Amino acid sequence: MAHAVPLNLKKEFTRAFEVAKLNPRMMKKLAKSRKGTKMATRFVFLAAVAGALGSVVFPLEYEEVVYKPTFVQALVNVGVAFSLILLSFYVIHFIAKAFFHGEGSFRSFFQVVGYGYVIGLLYFFPILTFVVWVWTAVVLEKALVEVKKLSHEQAIVTLLLLFGLYVLL
């Protein structure tokens, strides 16, 4: 019977911050790892939770309109955000593979970008949303170059295609 390995949060957050700081060695190490998928998924989930909690604690106001979700709406927001993030990562992987013959599996790419999504914890502060978007794009571009072996231009086109899909939908 296999025993569960205790989770070392300090180690995992250190790895995540290294990815968010664009450390290519850490990106390559995580891409080769067989054990990073669960933690990468946790970082994505925590970012979704942080965004939902942030909208409850810091309601969004625009002129006379205030958006403060109920508890149930916040839970729905977590599920929707989590699903859209995972879908986005998969679509990026698909575009890189289909159009630019990007290397590696979705798992290896996901482990890197999932860890890098630790910056999504800043979604707790809605005022930082734009900063998180921009830095996430930077992390994604770097991961496409380091993990998928795309050129910088191909990585940027991949992200622009994803953005174009969102605009069309």
Side-chain angles (χ1 to χ4, degrees):
M1 181 172 173
H3 295 285
V5 177
L7 185 61
N8 183 338
L9 287 177
K10 181 179 178 184
K11 178 181 173 184
E12 299 305 330
F13 272 92
T14 299
R15 288 178 174 183
F17 290 131
E18 285 301 310
V19 172
K21 293 187 318 190
L22 309 178
N23 181 328
R25 284 194 331 231
M26 184 55 69
M27 288 182 173
K28 290 173 186 169
K29 182 178 179 178
L30 282 170
K32 291 177 184 175
S33 172
R34 290 270 180 216
K35 298 180 181 179
T37 305
K38 284 183 184 176
M39 196 65 215
T41 305
R42 289 177 182 135
F43 281 122
V44 173
F45 182 75
L46 287 173
V49 170
L53 284 176
S55 65
V56 171
V57 174
F58 304 106
L60 299 173
E61 296 181 34
Y62 183 73
E63 295 182 6
E64 292 148 20
V65 178
V66 177
Y67 173 69
K68 182 176 183 176
T70 65
F71 178 74
V72 172
Q73 289 169 328
L75 285 177
V76 170
N77 290 348
V78 169
V80 170
F82 181 70
S83 300
L84 286 176
I85 295 163
L86 294 179
L87 178 64
S88 296
F89 289 166
Y90 186 78
V91 170
I92 291 168
H93 161 77
F94 176 80
I95 292 169
K97 275 274 207 216
F99 292 99
F100 303 114
H101 308 291
E103 297 180 13
S105 65
F106 174 69
R107 182 193 53 77
S108 63
F109 178 70
F110 174 70
Q111 287 179 174
V112 173
V113 297
Y115 269 79
Y117 210 67
V118 69
I119 60 176
L121 295 175
L122 294 175
Y123 279 132
F124 181 77
F125 306 102
I127 196 164
L128 296 177
T129 296
F130 182 73
V131 173
V132 175
W133 287 348
V134 170
W135 198 250
T136 298
V138 171
V139 170
L140 287 168
E141 190 274 343
K142 183 71 170 177
L144 285 166
V145 170
E146 296 297 332
V147 178
K148 292 293 184 190
K149 305 296 184 211
L150 302 187
S151 69
H152 289 286
E153 293 81 10
Q154 291 170 328
I156 290 168
V157 169
T158 298
L159 295 176
L160 289 174
L161 287 172
L162 176 72
F163 181 73
L165 280 172
Y166 279 135
V167 169
L168 289 175
L169 298 176

